[in-house]
Amino acid sequence: MKELLELLEENDRLTPAELGVMLGLDEAEVKAKIAALEAEKVILNYRAMVNWEKAGVEQVSAVIEVRVTPQRDVGFDEIAERIYRFPEVKSVFLMSGAYDLLVEIEGTTMKEVALFVAQKLATIENVLSTATHFVLKKYKLEGVILEDHEDVKRLVVSP
Amino acid sequence: MTRSWINPVVQAIPPSGIRRFFDLVSEMKGVISLGVGEPDFVTPWHIREACFYSLEKGYTMYTSNYGLLELREEIALDLERNYQVGYDPRHELLVTVGVSEAIDLAFRAILEPGDEVIVPQPCYVSYNPCILMAGGRPVNVETWAAAGFQVLPRDIEAVITPKTKALLLCYPNNPTGGVLTPEVAQGIAALARKHDLLVLSDEVYAHLTYEGQHVCLAALPGMKERTILFNGFSKAYAMTGWRLGYAAGPAEIIQAMTKIHQFTMLCAPITAQKAAIEALRHGEAQRSKMVAEYNRRRRLFVKGLNEIGMHCFEPKGAFYAFPSIAVTGMNSLAFSEALLREEKVAVVPGDAFGQSGEGYVRCSYASSMANLQEALVRMGRFIEKHRQSAG
């Protein structure tokens, strides 16, 4: 199960037939497993990983440290939900340490991101403070090195 | 006639069949190469990083002839952990420049003129030349796809003479991917004990065993005292270019090998030795990941070969498939050259690994999944075109 997930996490375009051969399972078995994993929401989504910079599309990302006052009974969950419902928000994590929520935002301009923080995020009830850090350059994303210079250097034939 | 300066023994050794093929391939573009006998992974980063660190710290000097004691201790621990066979790191281990050097040293240390060494074929290209250059005589025994390319005890026994001194084994095998089953290994061990033979066991692909456990010859009862075990870092840790291997064996033999090593090589490079310590201490996770990937490619590639009509015995180790090319009726060299010319896929003719490799080609699946899939498409097209009509 773990190996199947690892393979799909790396390349979701592998067909059930290919996965079956690689894992030593029948195609039908693989299909059933994948269907179950999708139903259980273990597999959340399939999508392409895009290097937008290379695609020539302007994009600005920022991570924002957010300090909040937790609510009775629901803790941080309710306030987290108020934040993650915004489509501009890419990810939200509850953190240990000096702040509570780490929020990742994506927008087309710095101004757009800054306005979102000032007008939407900072004004939410129980948000105490925000600290916005703009991303200058992405080197590695989800385990993939964006500009990998490590090309093939092997001889074409060797004993 | 002008005088030849070359020793007749060296002169008589044919150049490696692989080398000839390499010259042919290296002139072509757009080739998918399945001819590579090394991992397509780059050495894991933590190992490379350990190497930078050792250089920063100034580790740029000679080491003991035997290799760093710290490394030998790690090797001994590794052998104990994997095969429950104990070696004294001070007297029974020698760190060498690749397994290749260790094998050369072993033959030079043990062989007297005319001594015979039994070498099953198909096999890695360097054994016979090393034996010849050490003054010995290789006696080749054929192995068969039907027996999983294992050398069978009865075939060994058939060629034993009073001059037989040693038996060389390489399992998991390059080029066939065959491994030894415990039963066959026990049979070979019994034979070695009965005829008082030394066993030289090249186990460089040991970690690349996909089904069952690797059988370590030295770990079998009564074998440690008559076995020289070779292993290294090239295949399991993707460290081919670091040139680091080792020999483990009886103190007397290791000492004799070290005598030659100290006067010819002095010691293995310290940088590689430092990296190898890191590999043994922290390399298991990355190694397992690579092995799992080879295994997936193996399944995909071997199934693909059989589907296109290149009948292939299921390799259980290393990263080679050794399919038969019988459906085409061509010989190995003609097949490989035509496949390269017509479909730009490079494989190695089986006869480069000995006469019994004729009729087969070696395909390395240490290549990306996409390359393997494309190679199968091209090879399938090739087979269709050249398939001999039945009858």
Side-chain angles (χ1 to χ4, degrees), chain B residues 9-126:
Chain B
V9 175
V10 175
Q11 215 160 33
I13 293 171
S16 164
I18 286 186
R19 183 72 225 174
R20 254 183 307 152
F21 206 65
F22 172 75
D23 294 338
L24 205 67
V25 177
S26 51
E27 289 158 17
M28 294 182 69
K29 294 228 181 306
V31 172
I32 295 183
S33 182
L34 307 181
V36 191
E38 64 178 317
D40 60 321
F41 299 105
V42 178
T43 308
W45 182 255
H46 71 101
I47 298 173
R48 288 191 267 167
E49 202 267 346
C51 154
F52 310 151
Y53 185 74
S54 80
L55 289 172
E56 272 174 9
K57 288 278 165 189
Y59 286 106
T60 58
M61 60 289 289
Y62 293 133
T63 71
S64 148
N65 296 130
Y66 287 93
L68 292 167
L69 181 59
E70 200 185 358
L71 172 58
R72 282 178 280 143
E73 283 169 348
E74 286 298 332
I75 292 169
L77 276 174
D78 195 57
L79 291 171
E80 177 73 52
R81 189 165 54 221
N82 290 318
Y83 313 116
Q84 295 76 51
V85 56
Y87 282 98
D88 172 0
R90 288 177 189 275
H91 304 109
E92 297 180 320
L93 281 171
L94 171 62
V95 176
T96 56
V97 178
V99 171
S100 297
E101 190 213 347
I103 288 169
D104 179 41
L105 293 177
F107 284 134
R108 287 204 274 163
I110 64 165
L111 292 181
E112 295 170 63
D115 278 350
E116 294 175 0
V117 181
I118 299 172
V119 181
Q121 279 188 336
C123 70
Y124 179 60
V125 295
S126 79

Side-chain angles (χ1 to χ4, degrees), chain A residues 140-153:
Chain A
K140 189 175 183 181
L141 202 57
E142 303 271 329
V144 179
I145 297 170
L146 271 62
E147 304 249 338
D148 207 343
H149 300 292
E150 217 155 59
D151 50 350
V152 179
K153 300 180 186 81

Side-chain angles (χ1 to χ4, degrees), chain B residues 251-274:
Chain B
E252 183 199 6
I253 297 176
I254 292 299
Q255 203 176 22
M257 287 169 64
T258 307
K259 210 186 269 183
I260 306 172
H261 174 77
Q262 75 181 343
F263 293 130
T264 54
M265 196 62 75
L266 218 161
C267 67
I270 190 169
T271 314
Q273 293 191 53
K274 285 283 181 186

